[in-house]
Structure formats: structure tokens, C-alpha cells
Amino acid sequence: MDILGLSGIRVSQLLREVREETPDWFEWDSRSKSYFVTPGAYKKAQADLKAGTSDLTLAAYLAEADIHADLAPGAGPVTVAPWGFSQVNPNTFSRIRLAIEQGTRLSLDYRSMRTPEPHSRTVEPHSLVQAGRRWHMRGYCLETGDFRDFVLGRIAKLSMLDQKAESTVAEDTKWNAVVKVRIQAHPKLTPGQQDLVRSEYFEGTAARVHSCRGALLPYLVQELRLALDVAKELPPEYQLAVENVAEVRKWLFPA
């Protein structure tokens, strides 16, 4: 609605037209009094994407807003270059969002670097966040007894549970903590290089103080490639560094 400037009435008309053309794509949920996309619709959409016969791509979506992806037909002076390595299953995304809205639990078959084989997790999600190139779900994990991040691309299977969540976002200390990170030009750069970095990132000032959720600080460090140990993490690989490492250290490796 925001991107295309559509009114609520127009959106309702479009949704009704889609339901009439593809009635097997939607099912009515009497409890929430709303329509849900059927599993069959998701399967067909994914099959069409893999076969290259679907327009349901990020490039097509952005093209609706007259922003064409790089290398796509119509690309002009303003382009985007989505790498698209981390794919998010739309069914997974929508079920997580619904669980958050309804305050219910989710059952996951999850894979991690520590345990690459699918294993069961029961999660009470409270937020969806895009951190860098990946989407994450933040929520309370019953198995570990702590609030954790779950990468959406690592969810092998997901199902909604009837049980209500007992945790709240207010209890997630790391999520609610606002951490002030002081970012500086790497001190091992030459004076000229430091001046260049300050001009590019800090508008010429000596450093920049960025406020970040405690739970998201590791992703900020990773995304901006911030040096934490300036004696070992050196230019040219690292051009920026965290100046107040001692102050923010406890947030650098949250669960």
C-alpha cells in the first residue's frame, strides 16, 4: 500500500479479484475471521519460481515501484543489486509474524552451525528483524531457557502451536538494552586515510556514536566489519574500529 499508493478499499478489491480467480489459494479462518494462503499456493509459487515461470521475484516487486534490479530489463540510473543468497520462505515468514501477533508458540526443526542436523525447538517469538543480509526471528527458546536468535533460512520445518506464549518482549534484556557504540577510523590507518574514512562515514567528525540493541550488536560489528582488537584486526581488511570495546564487550556475543 505504501509503495504503490493504494487505498484500503482498492486493496480489498484486488484481494477479492485474486480470490475469485484462484479460490484454492485461500482458506477462511473462523477464529481470526480472515483469509490465509493455503500450503498448496505456497508450493505452486515456489515451484514456479524454481522453474523460472513466475514474476514473484524481488526484481519484479521493486519494478512495481519503478526501481529495477541491476541487470534486469528496465534497469536505469537508479538500480538495486540484491545478492539474494539468503532466501526466506514466505510461508515461514508469514507464520512467524502471525504467531507474534497472536502471542502463540512455534515448533521448529532448526539447524545451526553447532548442531547442523535438524533438531526440535519450541519458541515464543516476539520480533522479526533483518540484520545485514539475513532475516532473524527473536524469541524465547524453551529448550535453552533463554532468548535467542533464529535465522529464518535455517528453519527446516515450522508449525504453529495452540499454546499461548508465557514470555514477553519486556523480559528480553538484551533486546531492550540500548548500547551506544563509538565507531572510529582504524587507528592503524595513515593520517590521510583516517581523514578519508572520517569524511566518508562521519561527515568529517572524529567518530560516530551509534545506538544499537544489545542483541543486534554482533550483527552491526559483522556488517560494518568493525575491528574489536586493533592490534590484530588490521587495515586494509578493517577500516573502522570500535573505540569503546570495554563498555560494549558484554553485548558482543549475546545468545
Side-chain angles (χ1 to χ4, degrees):
M1 290 173 65
D2 291 340
I3 290 178
L4 301 181
L6 299 176
S7 67
I9 294 176
R10 180 56 181 150
V11 169
S12 296
Q13 292 173 340
L14 291 170
L15 288 174
R16 185 174 63 251
E17 292 175 11
V18 173
R19 290 201 305 272
E20 291 173 352
E21 292 181 11
T22 55
D24 57 332
W25 279 26
F26 300 91
E27 56 188 2
W28 177 257
D29 181 72
S30 57
R31 185 172 60 178
S32 62
K33 296 183 179 179
S34 57
Y35 284 98
F36 285 84
V37 179
T38 61
Y42 281 115
K43 289 181 180 178
K44 186 180 187 308
Q46 290 298 315
D48 290 346
L49 280 171
K50 290 181 179 180
T53 58
S54 173
D55 289 330
L56 297 176
T57 62
L58 178 60
Y61 177 74
L62 292 171
E64 292 288 348
D66 201 29
I67 300 175
H68 297 271
D70 189 25
L71 303 181
V78 180
T79 68
V80 294
W83 308 120
F85 283 98
S86 180
Q87 300 295 330
V88 176
N89 185 299
N91 186 38
T92 298
F93 190 96
S94 66
R95 292 301 181 262
I96 293 173
R97 183 173 179 180
L98 184 62
I100 293 172
E101 291 177 352
Q102 296 183 348
T104 56
R105 292 177 175 176
L106 291 171
S107 175
L108 312 179
D109 281 354
Y110 191 69
R111 306 177 67 188
S112 64
M113 293 301 291
R114 181 176 298 177
T115 310
E117 300 78 16
H119 54 281
S120 298
R121 294 287 188 95
T122 304
V123 182
E124 299 176 348
H126 67 66
S127 298
L128 275 163
V129 58
Q130 186 178 22
R133 66 187 182 277
R134 299 189 298 187
W135 278 93
H136 299 253
M137 170 182 67
R138 181 77 179 175
Y140 184 80
C141 175
L142 273 68
E143 281 71 24
T144 61
D146 195 9
F147 287 92
R148 297 291 179 96
D149 288 350
F150 297 88
V151 180
L152 266 60
R154 296 179 177 178
I155 297 176
K157 186 178 180 182
L158 177 146
S159 59
M160 297 183 67
L161 303 177
D162 292 331
Q163 297 101 316
K164 285 290 185 180
E166 297 180 2
S167 64
T168 66
V169 64
E171 300 172 60
D172 191 346
T173 307
K174 294 172 182 175
W175 179 261
N176 293 303
V178 178
V179 181
K180 293 187 180 298
V181 188
R182 186 173 175 83
I183 304 172
Q184 64 175 345
H186 199 294
K188 298 293 185 180
L189 291 170
T190 67
Q193 290 171 333
Q194 290 187 42
D195 182 68
L196 173 62
V197 169
R198 293 186 188 117
S199 176
E200 181 180 359
Y201 292 101
F202 313 139
E203 297 182 350
T205 59
R208 172 177 174 175
V209 177
H210 182 79
S211 296
C212 176
R213 292 186 184 274
L216 300 181
L217 181 55
Y219 306 126
L220 176 70
V221 171
Q222 183 182 52
E223 186 68 17
L224 297 182
R225 200 162 178 77
L226 303 178
L228 300 174
D229 186 344
V230 295
K232 295 180 179 179
E233 299 169 334
L234 301 171
E237 287 77 13
Y238 294 86
Q239 298 180 3
L240 299 170
V242 176
E243 184 177 334
N244 58 335
V245 175
E247 295 178 24
V248 304
R249 185 175 298 279
K250 70 175 182 177
W251 308 109
L252 287 174
F253 303 102

